[in-house]
Amino acid sequence: MLKKKNRYVVAVAGATGAVGREMVEILEERDFPVAELRPLASERSEGERVEFLGKSITVRKLTGDSFRDVDIALFSAGAERSLEFVPAAVKSGAVVIDNSSAFRMDPAVPLVVPEVNLHAIARHAGIVANPNCSTIGMVVALKPIHDKAKIKRIVVTTFQSVSGTGKNAIDELASQTVALLNFREIEKSVYPHQIAFNCLPHIDSFLDSGYTREEMKLVNETRKIMEDDSIRVTATTVRVPVFRCHSESLNIETEMKLSANEARAILSGAPGVVVYDDPKKNLYPLAIDVTGKDEIYVGRIREDESIPNGLNMWIVLDNVRKGAALNAVQIAEQLIK
Amino acid sequence: MLKKKNRYVVAVAGATGAVGREMVEILEERDFPVAELRPLASERSEGERVEFLGKSITVRKLTGDSFRDVDIALFSAGAERSLEFVPAAVKSGAVVIDNSSAFRMDPAVPLVVPEVNLHAIARHAGIVANPNCSTIGMVVALKPIHDKAKIKRIVVTTFQSVSGTGKNAIDELASQTVALLNFREIEKSVYPHQIAFNCLPHIDSFLDSGYTREEMKLVNETRKIMEDDSIRVTATTVRVPVFRCHSESLNIETEMKLSANEARAILSGAPGVVVYDDPKKNLYPLAIDVTGKDEIYVGRIREDESIPNGLNMWIVLDNVRKGAALNAVQIAEQLIK
């Protein structure tokens, strides 16, 4: 358990990555009571600098000894590094909020989206897991619907931006786009195929079932966060040539009938949700508009006439922010409450 | 009815558009027995030239008098022009193959995808309608499944390229992309929002139900072509920053259980379908690979564990080619058989 203090020593593991940098910015933006910020990264990024509250702080190498006196450690350095260094951080007495997939499905580790299952934080034993970005968007939008009408089944197809992969992928989309517009050959290193002007139905690695790990995160994490294993989920996850924000096409079947207007009313009052739904005025959530926003934007809410109790909707979230860094900082805010 | 001849006078209305140009190319490529090619377009494009069999042919203005001696008229000039000029073409004795939405749902007009409902051509009375591009891809891939296992319900989300809108949209994606990469303001004229590096859940206009006309085409045209009104369909159609080829995420529920392997076997022998499905080798259909191809490419075939008899798949088609121009020429080929 975290000891109550006025200010906390906060480590950020993976501080030079897209999510790590966003975590540092959000800590500053939300006035998190930081006594000392300790940015950590792999050897490759050692010595880089991170700006925090007007000071430039040198990034140190992430090792097992990095966590002396650390109260809270935010990890966003990939599952392998989490598996290697999270135990050391916990042993040093830090509470870890881990953004990787390493501990998410561990029954002993709470998997938390504050708007959905805040109460689960209490049972942590040193680690709180931050869900996958696409899952966070989906559960924030669907929990209020589930509470009212009980969701039986979700069919989800995602449109995921390259920032979900990381900084290298952002560079790859930009450089492939420039190459193609100049009739030059493209170079590939992050994705197995050209991402510029293309859609890849492939995120994370493939399992024997034919599903990707990303698709199964949407199935399994949703059930764990919603605390209801009866919810059936099937997913298709797709990488699109967008820099930031994930969009998702959601089709849901509920136990009780909800009209589109009822769904709109429920979501309009829901925490962390903005209903943005006036299609006749061309208003619906868009990746370029949701960049930098804290909330999940929901639009195109309409009744699915193909089943008795069905709804379709279109959601967009800033995957780097609410899909990762912000959710982690929100968990930290709850830990110190 | 079309009189049997050795060679036919073929008019192409909308000959300077993306689909019209492709129609002319495909007529040449497939050795269609053309006695005279008559390219027609709006006043704006009058005098432009179209290359056909090594000759440069001047584009004439589309009027009610354009169809004297024409045997076959391929229309791809939008629904308004079809409504205005198709009756004149039919009155002149031409058989019209219309690529617009104008006559598709007219019970007197057959709506044809040769691989699916070839027999329907026979009952035409001067007009054969060419379905919407996204519908063509879906029905070619799903008819063989329907024949074996009876499809009860389809949940489809599309990823549609800008070439579906036309040449101006291709230019808009390119110029917006260049502007953004040079930190300049973008200009919008074709789409209501930025399409570069963005996804728009908006294709064609919105109905009071909240659905777009494009989404309802997938519902209604599918039933008409498959000749089965019991098939329930719900659709979300999305424009993506891709130049050519539409991708679709399909979730289907069948009466009889089909394993992924059974579905793969059925589709491997199906007309107009290529199964491209080896995800562990990173092989799945991609817009950039299917450009210029005649077939519907199907991959990511997997069992949907959220229902007893469910399948997910990912299909890609060249929307300009099989989704429009090629399908029209294939209908013409059947008409002269």
Side-chain angles (χ1 to χ4, degrees):
Chain A
M1 285 297 114
L2 201 60
K3 254 190 241 142
K4 196 92 188 146
K5 298 183 176 178
N6 284 331
R7 307 210 146 256
Y8 300 84
V9 178
V10 178
V12 176
T16 58
V19 172
R21 287 193 182 276
E22 192 85 13
M23 283 170 164
V24 173
E25 269 183 50
I26 292 176
L27 287 169
E28 174 166 337
E29 200 182 291
R30 292 172 73 98
D31 280 324
F32 195 87
V34 177
E36 177 202 334
L37 182 80
R38 197 175 295 176
L40 305 166
S42 65
E43 201 157 12
R44 203 166 30 84
S45 299
E46 199 185 349
E48 285 186 32
R49 305 187 74 85
V50 162
E51 305 300 310
F52 184 66
L53 290 172
K55 286 193 299 188
S56 178
I57 308 173
T58 305
V59 176
R60 293 193 232 167
K61 188 180 160 192
L62 170 62
T63 72
D65 297 326
S66 300
F67 300 94
R68 187 185 305 245
D69 302 324
V70 168
D71 298 302
I72 297 169
L74 304 175
F75 267 76
S76 188
E80 265 180 62
R81 290 228 170 69
S82 284
L83 286 169
E84 191 176 350
F85 297 112
V86 164
V90 174
K91 214 173 159 194
S92 299
V95 178
V96 172
I97 301 166
D98 183 35
N99 192 43
S100 82
S101 61
F103 302 100
R104 285 181 194 151
M105 295 310 296
D106 183 334
V109 174
L111 180 65
V112 176
V113 179
E115 292 88 342
V116 178
N117 64 336
L118 182 59
H119 64 93
I121 293 181
R123 62 176 188 78
H124 83 82
I127 310 175
V128 180
N130 208 41
N132 180 47
C133 43
S134 311
T135 312
I136 291 177
M138 193 162 93
V139 296
V140 170
L142 294 187
K143 182 58 159 50
I145 306 272
H146 187 54
D147 288 343
K148 282 277 181 181
K150 192 164 173 20
I151 293 175
K152 291 164 67 178
R153 181 175 178 232
I154 305 167
V155 181
V156 51
T157 295
T158 67
F159 298 66
Q160 296 183 227
S161 67
V162 297
S163 53
T165 313
K167 278 202 311 185
N168 294 345
I170 295 172
D171 294 343
E172 185 152 307
L173 172 57
S175 63
Q176 286 185 354
T177 304
V178 169
L180 288 165
L181 291 171
N182 289 286
F183 305 100
R184 289 200 318 262
E185 288 275 302
I186 60 147
E187 283 176 29
K188 289 177 286 190
S189 65
V190 178
Y191 298 116
H193 304 284
Q194 175 188 319
I195 181 64
F197 306 116
N198 200 19
C199 297
L200 309 185
H202 175 181
I203 299 183
D204 208 334
S205 53
F206 283 101
L207 303 164
D208 289 334
S209 62
Y211 285 90
T212 58
R213 282 179 205 281
E214 186 80 0
E215 286 159 354
M216 295 318 293
K217 289 172 200 165
L218 280 158
V219 176
N220 298 320
E221 294 181 16
T222 298
R223 288 176 177 159
K224 180 168 177 176
I225 301 163
M226 307 262 264
E227 297 172 355
D228 187 340
D229 283 345
S230 75
I231 301 175
R232 292 164 297 157
V233 184
T234 189
T236 301
T237 56
V238 184
R239 190 72 68 191
V240 291
V242 168
F243 284 109
R244 188 151 164 167
C245 290
H246 292 354
S247 306
E248 303 179 24
S249 167
L250 304 184
N251 175 270
I252 64 167
E253 184 178 1
T254 53
E255 196 78 43
M256 277 173 47
K257 173 85 184 165
L258 280 186
S259 69
N261 277 335
E262 286 168 332
R264 237 172 255 122
I266 291 165
L267 288 172
S268 294
V273 174
V274 172
V275 174
Y276 194 72
D277 192 16
D278 195 350
K280 294 242 169 172
K281 291 185 180 153
N282 294 330
L283 300 182
Y284 30 74
L286 294 174
I288 56 164
D289 295 333
V290 175
T291 297
K293 297 286 197 297
D294 287 352
E295 298 86 2
I296 312 303
Y297 279 64
V298 185
R300 303 272 351 255
I301 302 170
R302 57 215 196 276
E303 285 148 52
D304 168 4
E305 309 281 357
S306 77
I307 46 173
N309 304 338
L311 288 170
N312 285 306
M313 61 187 77
W314 173 259
I315 71 169
V316 179
L317 74 148
D318 185 330
N319 57 299
V320 179
R321 203 169 170 87
K322 179 59 185 170
L326 173 64
N327 198 70
V329 174
Q330 286 174 316
I331 292 170
E333 288 171 346
Q334 294 299 329
L335 284 169
I336 63 166
K337 251 196 187 163
Chain B
M1 283 300 112
L2 201 60
K3 255 190 241 140
K4 197 90 191 146
K5 297 183 177 179
N6 284 329
R7 306 209 148 257
Y8 299 84
V9 179
V10 179
V12 176
T16 57
V19 172
R21 289 195 179 274
E22 192 85 12
M23 283 171 166
V24 173
E25 270 183 49
I26 292 176
L27 287 169
E28 175 167 336
E29 201 182 291
R30 292 170 75 99
D31 280 326
F32 194 85
V34 176
E36 178 203 333
L37 182 81
R38 197 175 295 175
L40 304 166
S42 65
E43 202 158 10
R44 201 165 32 83
S45 299
E46 200 185 348
E48 285 187 30
R49 304 188 73 84
V50 161
E51 306 298 311
F52 183 66
L53 290 171
K55 287 194 299 189
S56 178
I57 307 172
T58 305
V59 176
R60 293 194 233 164
K61 187 181 162 191
L62 171 62
T63 72
D65 298 326
S66 300
F67 300 95
R68 190 185 304 248
D69 302 325
V70 167
D71 299 303
I72 298 170
L74 304 175
F75 269 75
S76 188
E80 266 180 63
R81 291 228 169 70
S82 285
L83 286 169
E84 190 176 352
F85 297 113
V86 164
V90 173
K91 213 172 157 193
S92 300
V95 178
V96 172
I97 302 166
D98 183 35
N99 192 44
S100 83
S101 61
F103 302 100
R104 284 183 194 149
M105 295 311 294
D106 183 335
V109 174
L111 180 66
V112 177
V113 180
E115 292 87 343
V116 178
N117 64 337
L118 182 57
H119 65 93
I121 294 182
R123 63 176 187 80
H124 82 83
I127 310 174
V128 180
N130 207 41
N132 180 47
C133 44
S134 311
T135 313
I136 292 178
M138 194 163 92
V139 296
V140 169
L142 294 187
K143 182 57 161 46
I145 306 271
H146 186 55
D147 287 344
K148 282 278 183 181
K150 195 165 172 18
I151 292 175
K152 292 165 66 178
R153 181 174 178 234
I154 305 168
V155 181
V156 50
T157 295
T158 67
F159 298 65
Q160 297 184 226
S161 66
V162 296
S163 54
T165 312
K167 278 201 313 185
N168 294 346
I170 295 172
D171 294 343
E172 184 152 307
L173 172 57
S175 63
Q176 286 185 355
T177 305
V178 170
L180 289 166
L181 292 171
N182 288 287
F183 305 100
R184 289 203 316 263
E185 287 275 303
I186 61 147
E187 283 175 29
K188 290 177 285 189
S189 65
V190 177
Y191 298 116
H193 304 285
Q194 174 187 321
I195 181 63
F197 306 115
N198 200 19
C199 297
L200 309 185
H202 176 181
I203 299 183
D204 208 334
S205 53
F206 283 101
L207 302 164
D208 289 334
S209 62
Y211 285 90
T212 59
R213 283 180 204 280
E214 186 80 0
E215 285 159 355
M216 295 319 291
K217 290 172 199 165
L218 280 159
V219 176
N220 297 320
E221 295 182 16
T222 298
R223 289 176 177 160
K224 179 168 176 176
I225 301 163
M226 306 264 263
E227 296 172 355
D228 188 341
D229 284 345
S230 74
I231 301 175
R232 293 166 295 159
V233 184
T234 190
T236 301
T237 57
V238 183
R239 190 72 68 190
V240 292
V242 168
F243 284 109
R244 188 150 163 167
C245 291
H246 291 354
S247 305
E248 303 179 24
S249 167
L250 303 183
N251 175 270
I252 63 167
E253 183 177 2
T254 53
E255 195 78 47
M256 278 173 47
K257 173 84 183 166
L258 279 186
S259 70
N261 277 335
E262 285 167 330
R264 237 172 254 124
I266 290 165
L267 289 171
S268 295
V273 174
V274 172
V275 174
Y276 194 71
D277 193 16
D278 196 349
K280 294 243 169 172
K281 291 184 179 152
N282 294 331
L283 300 182
Y284 31 71
L286 294 174
I288 55 163
D289 294 334
V290 175
T291 297
K293 297 287 197 298
D294 289 351
E295 297 86 3
I296 312 303
Y297 279 63
V298 185
R300 304 265 1 248
I301 302 169
R302 57 215 197 276
E303 284 146 54
D304 167 4
E305 309 282 359
S306 78
I307 46 173
N309 303 338
L311 287 171
N312 285 307
M313 61 187 79
W314 172 259
I315 71 169
V316 180
L317 73 149
D318 185 328
N319 58 300
V320 179
R321 204 169 170 86
K322 179 59 185 170
L326 173 63
N327 197 71
V329 174
Q330 286 174 318
I331 292 171
E333 288 171 345
Q334 294 298 330
L335 284 170
I336 63 166
K337 253 197 186 160

